[in-house]
Amino acid sequence: MHLIKNIFKFPRIIYFFIPIIIIIILFNFLPINAIEISKIEFIGEATLAKGLTLQKTEIGGLSGITYNPKNNLYYAISDDRGQKAAARFYTLKIDLSKGSLQKGKVVPVSVTTLLNENGQTFRPGETDTEGIALTNKATVFISSEGDAAKLINPFIKEFSLSSGREITTLPIPNKFLPEKSGRQGIRNNLAFESLTITSDKKHLFTATENALIQDGVAAKANIGTPCRILQYNLLNNQPEKEFLYQTEPVSPFLNVTGKFASGLPDLLALDNQGHFLSLERSFTGLGFAISLFQVSLEGSDDIHQINSLLAVDSKNIKPVQKKLLLDLRTLDVLLDNIEGLTLGPKLPDGQQSLILISDNNFNSLQRTQILAFKIKIETPLIRLLRRLLPNLNP
C-alpha cells in the first residue's frame, strides 16, 4: 500500500519542478536585458525664463540632454554656433523628488565651455553642437552637425566634464561628409542631432536627422525621410554598423506659414540589445508635432557597406522596427521645439523617469520647455510571467 502511495506522489514532484525548469530555460534563451516600455504617464512641465543668463551667457538652444545618476545632475548641450557665446553645455538640476515636475524646479547650475584639442574655444560657425551622451569616465560625447553649406564636417568628440577640453574624436564614414559637388553627404542642419550610449558603455549611436543626399529626399509634408542610424564600438572607437530608420510622414494642419520641417532629433538607448526610444519632431506651420517611438534593431539590415540607398533596391532593405509610444499632441500641453530626451532618476514610487527638453532657437516667441514622464519598463521574462500569471504585479 505504501508503495502505491509513493508511486502516486512521484508525479507531484515532477509537477513541482516543471515550472522551475521552464523558468531556467527562459533565463537561458530569452534576451533578459531587452526591455520594453509598457506604460507612459505625463507628470509635469517646467520652463526657463526667457532671456535667462548664467555666467554671462544666454541660456537657450538646448537640443540634447543627458543624466548623471552619481550627482543627480543633467547636462544640456546648446546648439548656438558661437553667436551668443562659445560652444558650451549647461549643468541643470531637475527636482522630481515629489514624483512630478513642478514650475520652478529646473535650475541651471553652471556653464562649461568646450575647448578643442589645443585648449582653445571653437571659432564661431565651426560647430553646431546638437547631441550629448554621458560616459562612465567623467566625460561626455558631443555631436556637431557641422555646416554642409560651408563644407564643415560633422563631428563626434569626447570632452572632459570638468574642463570641457576635447579628448577624443571619432572617425566619420566618408558617405556622411559633405562635398563640393553636392551629390553626397549630410544635408545642412539635418545631420547628427542625436547621440546615445548603451548602459554597458560599449556602443554609441547617432543618426542623421534626415536622409543623406544620396539616400533620398528630405522630409516634406506627408512624406517621411530615410535616416541612417550609425553605431560605434567604444572599445576601439570605430564605426561598425548602420541601419535604416524611416521617419513617419506628417500632415500639416492649417499651414499658413508655408514652412515645414520634420525629422529625427534624438535617440535614447534603453538596453544593450538594440532597443531605443526615438523622438520625431515636426514643425507643421502651426505648432509642433512630437512623437515618441519604441525602436528595435532586431531583424534590421546592416547597411554600412551601401553608400547610396538610391543606387540599390531599398525595398529589399529591412529598416528598424518602430512602434508608436506616445503622440504628444494628445497631452494638454502647448508643445515647443522638443529635441532632446534622457532617462532620469527613479521616482519615489520606484518607476523610471523620462525627461524631454526643447530648443528655443533663441527666439522670443519660443520657450525652453522641459517635460517629465513616468515610464514602466518590463523585461521579456516579466511580460511572459504576467501573461501566465495575470495577477502578478512585480
Side-chain angles (χ1 to χ4, degrees):
M1 194 64 163
H2 289 292
L3 178 61
I4 294 175
K5 288 183 179 179
N6 288 336
I7 290 174
F8 281 100
K9 286 182 179 179
F10 184 71
R12 296 180 183 178
I13 297 175
I14 295 177
Y15 297 147
F16 175 78
F17 281 105
I18 284 176
I20 295 177
I21 293 171
I22 291 174
I23 291 174
I24 291 173
I25 292 173
L26 290 174
F27 266 104
N28 284 322
F29 290 97
L30 277 177
I32 302 301
N33 292 324
I35 60 178
E36 181 177 313
I37 295 175
S38 59
K39 184 178 180 181
I40 182 167
E41 178 185 345
F42 178 59
I43 58 169
E45 171 195 17
T47 58
L48 297 183
K50 292 183 179 181
L52 181 65
T53 62
L54 181 65
Q55 295 174 215
K56 299 181 179 180
T57 72
E58 181 179 348
I59 300 175
L62 305 185
S63 61
I65 188 168
T66 190
Y67 175 64
N68 190 341
K70 292 183 179 179
N71 53 21
N72 195 28
L73 293 174
Y74 298 78
Y75 311 113
I77 187 71
S78 174
D79 68 357
D80 175 23
R81 297 192 180 197
Q83 304 305 312
K84 300 285 185 178
R88 62 203 180 276
F89 67 83
Y90 294 90
T91 300
L92 308 174
K93 286 184 178 180
I94 301 178
D95 185 0
L96 299 174
S97 60
K98 303 294 185 181
S100 63
L101 178 59
Q102 301 168 1
K103 293 181 180 180
K105 294 301 182 178
V106 178
V107 179
V109 176
S110 63
V111 184
T112 303
T113 300
L114 300 181
L115 306 175
N116 63 21
E117 58 187 352
N118 298 319
Q120 301 174 333
T121 58
F122 290 90
R123 298 187 302 273
E126 188 179 1
T127 67
D128 182 10
T129 46
E130 298 279 1
I132 186 168
L134 181 71
T135 73
N136 57 355
K137 302 179 294 182
T139 64
V140 286
F141 276 96
I142 291 173
S143 61
S144 169
E145 291 192 300
D147 191 329
K150 298 179 181 178
L151 299 181
I152 297 175
N153 290 335
F155 69 64
I156 302 172
K157 295 177 182 287
E158 184 180 12
F159 295 88
S160 165
L161 265 181
S162 58
S163 69
R165 184 160 182 165
E166 177 184 331
I167 298 171
T168 307
T169 300
L170 302 185
I172 307 294
N174 288 333
K175 68 170 74 73
F176 293 90
L177 304 181
E179 59 176 25
K180 290 182 180 179
S181 69
R183 295 178 180 175
Q184 81 153 39
I186 56 168
R187 286 181 159 89
N188 198 44
N189 206 33
L190 294 172
F192 296 149
E193 282 256 358
S194 58
L195 206 63
T196 188
I197 296 176
T198 54
S199 55
D200 61 7
K201 307 303 180 183
K202 292 181 180 180
H203 293 97
L204 176 146
F205 291 84
T206 187
T208 57
E209 186 180 359
N210 266 222
L212 298 178
I213 291 173
Q214 69 271 26
D215 280 345
V217 299
K220 300 178 182 179
N222 302 305
I223 298 175
T225 186
C227 305
R228 284 188 188 239
I229 295 177
L230 175 55
Q231 173 183 323
Y232 282 86
N233 185 334
L234 291 182
L235 299 180
N236 58 18
N237 286 342
Q238 294 298 310
E240 56 182 9
K241 293 181 181 179
E242 295 170 23
F243 304 95
L244 173 61
Y245 181 106
Q246 184 71 41
T247 68
E248 298 301 303
V250 175
S251 300
F253 176 72
L254 194 62
N255 192 348
V256 294
T257 66
K259 296 181 180 180
F260 181 86
S262 185
L264 172 65
D266 213 355
L267 283 172
L268 176 62
L270 293 174
D271 57 23
N272 306 319
Q273 309 291 326
H275 296 85
F276 303 84
L277 272 181
S278 70
L279 179 66
E280 294 190 24
R281 178 274 326 269
S282 302
F283 176 69
T284 65
L286 190 66
F288 293 93
I290 314 292
S291 293
L292 284 171
F293 292 86
Q294 296 190 63
V295 177
S296 173
L297 301 183
E298 184 178 356
S300 58
D301 292 328
D302 178 6
I303 60 172
H304 82 277
Q305 293 185 331
I306 301 175
N307 289 322
S308 169
L309 295 178
L310 293 176
V312 300
D313 188 356
S314 59
K315 293 180 180 179
N316 295 326
I317 297 175
K318 293 180 181 178
V320 302
Q321 301 175 45
K322 293 169 52 184
K323 183 173 74 172
L324 179 64
L325 180 66
L326 178 66
D327 183 341
L328 273 67
R329 290 176 294 185
T330 61
L331 303 177
D332 187 22
V333 174
L334 179 62
L335 297 172
D336 212 287
N337 183 32
I338 301 293
E339 289 195 357
L341 76 165
T342 186
L343 295 177
K346 291 292 180 66
L347 297 167
D349 64 0
Q351 297 298 318
Q352 176 65 56
S353 64
L354 174 72
I355 294 292
L356 277 63
I357 197 165
S358 75
D359 173 2
N360 69 351
N361 293 307
F362 295 96
N363 186 327
S364 61
L365 298 178
Q366 292 183 249
R367 301 163 296 151
T368 297
Q369 180 182 49
I370 299 91
L371 303 178
F373 297 85
K374 177 196 300 187
I375 58 177
K376 189 169 187 177
I377 297 177
E378 292 184 341
T379 67
L381 181 59
I382 292 298
R383 292 196 297 276
L384 180 62
L385 290 176
R386 193 181 295 280
R387 293 190 189 101
L388 296 174
L389 303 169
N391 294 325
L392 179 68
N393 188 26

